[in-house]
């Protein structure tokens, strides 16, 4: 990934990003800069405001204050669907698939959005078969070939997360926001998803919330630590493990 | 809302052929009705309500939106068609067109107001809008208030088919029903239908994929309203009147009931449900006020014992998609 890191361009920036829920600041004055082509991790204890941050960045929540720049463009006032259309696509903390659609159909829904014809109510859905090939490729890419015809609801949890990633990749986004992609997974699945994220990061910028610190240390180029809605520290994993404040607020609690 | 997704059994290939067989059986049965001695008026009426329920089902069963004001489309199209036929002397096809377009326009207007609301708020706002319209129709002269528009001439469809002949009328109504039914089936199984299902299954995810979900819901609502209106226009030729009962909120309730009894989110359920309810009203008419009580009881039994509705339960048992 060295060559991508050469460009010092920030794909996503926030200035003074703040979200207030009736007097409670879930996110407070966050200035975040995500470099293009990196895996950037956002970590912090429960309730630190990580998911809220994601919701603000993708406009699922309206910021109380602050601005969001994506590729130099101010997206603070955009609708969430428009943010997605610009190539900034998120996943959810709770696995987000279309449960009663098959894995193939899940991916196709994303492909269909890009290629249009989504309002055609008079045509047979067999026109969507033209996307099957691409959908199968994407599923194979994340190791889901055997599940092509399986309804998502019947897939194991870890596989659902992989399906989510395949669906997101179908949009060919420039930047992906992954909210705890490995939460609730066993070791084997974690390794698979980590390898997958590592692989796709060659092409995409990734901002990731993750509690599993070994995953974070292995994957991320840079880490931002959030506590009580504020940025506490930022740096590489090595830097942060030396940081007393981080140890105290976050790592310390876990290590005992 | 769980019942909706429970009925959606994804069995792509087999599902299509099952539906095809069921469709052939249904069509064959309906084609031979005039030969069986069953009262055709009853079947025609039931067909109009079946189409109405199917249109309603498109919205709730596939779009996840519960409209509690669908009678406004039935009634509006009915009044428009009746007025066009009786006062303006329009031909039947033009009358149907006017009624259906009227319902479509109503769909656009009320849809823009209602579509941003979710769940129970959507149901309430559609109910409120239909109540508003009820009072408009009660007051405006062209509807003739409590009397309704009576004695509507049936005329000749396309100048050929004499609609005052019961057998001709029957097949015209049947053709109209099949046309509407197939349109709905196609919409459900179209690229648009796929997006609609995705939105129903997980709206935030659909948004995060870049779908402006309100636009899809609005289109589903307008389609549903337009087809409900088409059913209302057809019904004018059967009943030969247009009255306030068709815009009343109890009618909206009956539409919900028919769909639930037959099976929410199934293709054939609303048809079966409409026939069951209309048959009950027909054959239990002797019980007077008790019809309502019996209907209520059936509704309760339905919700308690077979929540998926008649067709929904059958489809679930055989693991088919009907
Ligand atoms: N819609 C809301 N209304 C009120 N408070 C909220 C809302 N959403 C989040 N919060 C609060 O904001 C804080 C941050 O929540 P958030 O979900 O962003 O945390 P998180 O860092 O993602 O935590 P976790 O690691 O548990 O996922 C929490 O205290 C939460 O209770
Ligand atoms: Mg969270």
């Amino acid at each position: 990934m060295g060559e991508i890191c050469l460009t010092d361009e920030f794909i996503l920036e926030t200035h003074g990003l703040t979200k207030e829920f009736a007097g409670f600041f879930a996110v407070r004055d966050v200035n975040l800069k995500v470099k293009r082509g990196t895996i950037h991790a956002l970590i912090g204890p429960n309730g630190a405001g990580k998911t809220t941050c994601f919701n603000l960045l993708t406009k699922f929540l309206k910021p109380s204050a602050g601005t969001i720049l994506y590729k130099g463009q101010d997206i603070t006032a955009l609708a969430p669907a428009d943010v997605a259309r610009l190539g900034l696509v998120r996943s959810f903390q709770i696995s987000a698939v279309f449960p009663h659609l098959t894995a193939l159909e899940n991916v196709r829904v994303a492909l269909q959005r890009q290629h249009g014809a989504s309002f055609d109510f008079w045509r047979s859905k067999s026109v969507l078969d033209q996307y099957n090939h691409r959908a199968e490729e994407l599923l194979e890419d994340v190791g889901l070939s055997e599940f092509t015809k399986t309804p998502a609801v019947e897939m194991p949890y870890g596989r659902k997360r992989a399906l989510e990633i395949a669906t997101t990749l179908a949009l060919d986004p420039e930047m992906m926001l992954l909210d705890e992609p490995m939460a609730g997974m066993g070791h084997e699945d974690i390794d698979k998803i980590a390898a997958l994220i590592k692989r796709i990061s060659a092409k995409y910028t990734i901002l990731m919330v993750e509690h599993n610190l070994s995953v974070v240390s292995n994957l991320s180029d840079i880490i931002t630590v959030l506590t009580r809605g504020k940025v506490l520290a930022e740096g590489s994993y090595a830097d942060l493990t030396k940081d007393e404040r981080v140890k105290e607020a976050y790592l310390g609690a876990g290590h005992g | 809302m769980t019942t909706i997704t429970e009925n959606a059994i994804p069995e792509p290939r087999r599902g299509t052929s099952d539906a095809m067989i069921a469709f052939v059986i249904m069509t064959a049965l309906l084609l031979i009705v005039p030969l069986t001695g069953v009262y055709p008026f009853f079947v025609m009426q039931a067909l109009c309500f079946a189409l109405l329920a199917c249109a309603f089902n498109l919205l709730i069963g596939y779009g996840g939106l519960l409209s509690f004001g669908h009678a406004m489309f039935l009634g509006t199209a009915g009044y428009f068609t009746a007025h066009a036929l009786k006062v303006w002397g329009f031909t039947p096809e033009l009358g149907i067109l006017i009624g259906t377009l009227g319902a479509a326009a109503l769909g656009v207007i009320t849809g823009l107001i209602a579509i941003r609301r979710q769940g129970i708020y959507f149901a309430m706002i559609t109910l409120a809008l239909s109540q508003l319209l009820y009072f408009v129709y009660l007051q405006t002269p062209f509807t003739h208030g409590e009397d309704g528009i009576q004695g509507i001439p049936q005329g000749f469809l396309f100048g050929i088919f004499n609609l005052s002949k019961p057998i001709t009328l029957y097949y015209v109504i049947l053709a109209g029903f099949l046309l509407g039914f197939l349109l709905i089936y196609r919409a459900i199984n179209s690229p648009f239908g796929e997006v609609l299902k995705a939105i129903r299954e997980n709206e935030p995810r659909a948004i995060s994929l870049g779908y402006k979900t309100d636009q899809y819901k609005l289109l589903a609502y307008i389609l549903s309203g337009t087809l409900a209106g088409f059913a209302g226009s057809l019904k004018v030729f059967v009943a030969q009147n247009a009255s306030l009962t068709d815009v009343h909120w109890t009618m909206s309730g009956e539409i919900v009931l028919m769909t639930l009894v037959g099976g929410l989110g199934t293709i054939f359920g609303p048809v079966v449900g409409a026939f069951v309810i209309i048959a009950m009203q027909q054959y239990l008419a002797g019980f007077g006020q008790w019809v309502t009580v019996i209907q209520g009881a059936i509704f309760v039994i339905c919700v308690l014992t077979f929540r998926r509705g008649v067709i929904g339960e059958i489809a679930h048992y055989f693991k088919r998609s009907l």
Side-chain angles (χ1 to χ4, degrees):
Chain A
M1 275 186 309
E3 68 278 5
I4 299 168
C5 295
L6 287 178
T7 61
D8 246 36
E9 188 192 357
F10 294 109
I11 187 166
L12 187 77
E13 284 179 57
T14 69
H15 298 290
L17 195 61
T18 300
K19 181 66 191 179
E20 185 199 332
F21 294 113
F24 170 76
F25 287 87
V27 170
R28 188 167 218 163
D29 198 24
V30 166
N31 300 307
L32 196 67
K33 289 187 170 192
V34 180
K35 254 187 211 168
R36 190 186 284 274
T38 57
I39 299 183
H40 192 132
L42 191 59
I43 66 171
N46 290 105
K50 305 178 296 288
T51 298
T52 306
C53 235
F54 269 27
N55 283 332
L56 293 173
L57 293 175
T58 49
K59 300 308 314 296
F60 276 70
L61 284 175
K62 273 203 178 72
S64 312
T67 51
I68 307 162
L69 296 180
Y70 173 68
K71 293 199 285 179
Q73 181 188 348
D74 189 339
I75 59 164
T76 318
L78 290 189
D82 289 318
V83 173
R85 281 157 185 251
L86 288 176
L88 177 59
V89 182
R90 69 173 296 178
S91 74
F92 294 82
Q93 185 164 351
I94 298 159
S95 119
V97 291
F98 304 113
H100 293 91
L101 303 187
T102 63
L104 185 87
E105 288 168 336
N106 265 272
V107 177
R108 242 171 35 174
V109 169
L111 290 170
Q112 189 187 348
R113 209 278 286 141
Q114 271 203 313
H115 297 90
S118 292
F119 284 106
D120 294 4
F121 61 84
W122 59 90
R123 294 166 78 181
S124 164
K125 71 173 172 188
S126 61
V127 299
L128 298 176
D129 289 345
Q130 59 181 305
Y131 306 130
N132 287 359
H133 181 63
R134 178 77 189 118
E136 278 161 13
E137 276 178 2
L138 285 158
L139 287 172
E140 196 186 327
D141 233 17
V142 299
L144 289 181
S145 288
E146 53 179 314
F147 292 102
T148 309
K149 293 200 169 67
T150 312
V153 67
E154 288 168 19
M155 290 166 65
Y157 187 77
R159 309 287 78 197
K160 273 188 212 164
R161 304 298 324 226
L163 175 59
E164 245 185 282
I165 294 181
T167 308
T168 306
L169 288 176
L171 294 177
D172 201 16
E174 279 184 66
M175 179 166 181
M176 292 170 72
L177 307 185
L178 305 175
D179 197 350
E180 301 194 23
M182 292 153 204
M185 276 188 194
H187 274 296
E188 210 175 301
D189 279 333
I190 289 181
D191 292 344
K192 276 189 199 161
I193 300 284
L196 176 63
I197 291 173
K198 189 84 191 166
R199 193 154 52 81
I200 59 178
S201 70
K203 247 181 107 186
Y204 309 99
T205 308
I206 293 172
L207 178 62
M208 181 174 78
V209 170
E210 188 49 59
H211 280 298
N212 186 325
L213 289 183
S214 79
V215 167
V216 169
S217 68
N218 282 330
L219 283 181
S220 28
D221 302 299
I222 188 156
I223 301 166
T224 301
V225 185
L226 211 62
T227 50
R228 299 203 191 111
K230 284 189 187 164
V231 175
L232 179 74
E234 189 172 278
S236 69
Y237 190 74
D239 295 342
L240 292 179
T241 43
K242 286 179 217 133
D243 192 316
E244 284 304 320
R245 290 170 308 159
V246 176
K247 268 189 197 159
E248 213 173 294
Y250 187 69
L251 302 174
H255 287 212
Chain B
M1 289 288 145
T2 46
T3 42
I4 302 171
T5 39
E6 274 169 24
N7 277 344
I9 302 163
E11 287 284 330
R13 229 165 260 146
R14 206 168 57 180
T16 320
S17 59
D18 286 344
M20 208 91 87
I21 295 165
F23 180 76
V24 170
I25 295 173
M26 177 183 80
T27 311
L29 284 176
L30 290 171
L31 278 172
I32 59 165
V33 160
L35 310 173
T36 59
V38 179
Y39 189 36
F41 178 79
F42 155 72
V43 182
M44 286 193 281
Q45 211 192 2
L47 282 175
C48 294
F49 282 106
L51 180 55
L52 177 64
C54 285
F56 170 77
N57 184 47
L58 170 65
L59 190 61
I60 182 166
Y62 297 90
L65 291 169
L66 170 61
S67 157
F68 209 82
H70 248 48
M72 67 180 155
F73 298 111
L74 181 79
T76 298
Y79 278 131
F80 278 34
T81 301
H83 187 81
L85 293 174
K86 191 173 178 188
V87 182
W88 296 339
F90 276 22
T91 56
E93 59 277 14
L94 269 181
I96 292 173
L97 187 68
I98 296 265
T100 309
L101 286 180
L106 183 66
V108 174
I109 297 164
T110 55
L112 285 171
I113 299 169
I115 214 70
R116 278 170 204 284
R117 311 294 186 284
Q118 310 272 341
I120 191 72
Y121 299 101
F122 179 80
M124 276 161 58
I125 195 127
T126 48
L127 174 62
L129 287 166
S130 74
Q131 282 298 90
L132 195 80
L133 210 63
Y134 177 85
F135 288 108
V136 170
Y137 288 143
L138 184 64
Q139 299 301 327
T140 44
F142 98 97
T143 61
H144 299 277
E146 304 274 3
D147 299 334
I149 306 177
Q150 303 288 341
I152 293 153
Q154 288 160 308
F156 287 79
L157 184 72
F158 303 122
I160 316 168
F161 302 110
N162 184 357
L163 298 183
S164 47
K165 262 177 69 184
I167 185 102
T168 314
L169 182 63
Y170 177 78
Y171 283 109
V172 166
I173 297 293
L174 177 56
F177 163 76
L178 291 175
L179 177 72
F181 182 87
L182 287 175
L183 254 168
I184 291 168
Y185 181 78
R186 173 40 68 80
I188 291 167
N189 293 287
S190 67
F192 170 71
E194 289 291 287
V195 179
L196 212 53
K197 277 174 231 169
I199 293 173
R200 181 198 63 192
E201 297 258 296
N202 192 337
E203 186 166 358
R205 182 52 171 162
I207 294 171
S208 81
L209 293 178
Y211 283 109
K212 302 189 174 184
T213 55
D214 282 347
Q215 296 178 355
Y216 292 86
K217 290 197 224 165
L218 181 62
L219 179 56
Y221 180 83
I222 295 169
L223 278 178
S224 172
T226 306
L227 284 156
F230 181 52
S233 290
L234 291 178
K235 190 172 158 292
V236 167
F237 294 89
V238 179
Q240 283 184 267
N241 69 39
S243 70
L244 281 171
T245 38
D246 287 350
V247 229
H248 200 248
W249 65 269
T250 51
M251 179 60 78
S252 295
E254 255 171 54
I255 302 170
V256 179
L257 184 62
M258 287 171 185
T259 312
L260 278 177
V261 167
L264 206 67
T266 64
I267 299 161
F268 295 93
V271 180
V272 172
F275 272 83
V276 169
I277 299 295
I278 299 294
M280 266 171 41
Q281 290 175 349
Q282 184 86 18
Y283 295 108
L284 302 179
F287 293 92
Q289 288 292 319
W290 286 97
V291 179
T292 327
V293 178
I294 297 169
Q295 255 186 33
I298 289 189
F299 184 60
V300 171
I301 292 168
C302 227
V303 171
L304 290 182
T305 60
F306 57 112
R307 284 192 305 143
R308 297 183 183 92
V310 176
I311 294 293
E313 291 292 344
I314 294 173
H316 184 78
Y317 184 81
F318 292 105
K319 290 224 171 302
R320 299 291 166 108
S321 177
L322 289 170

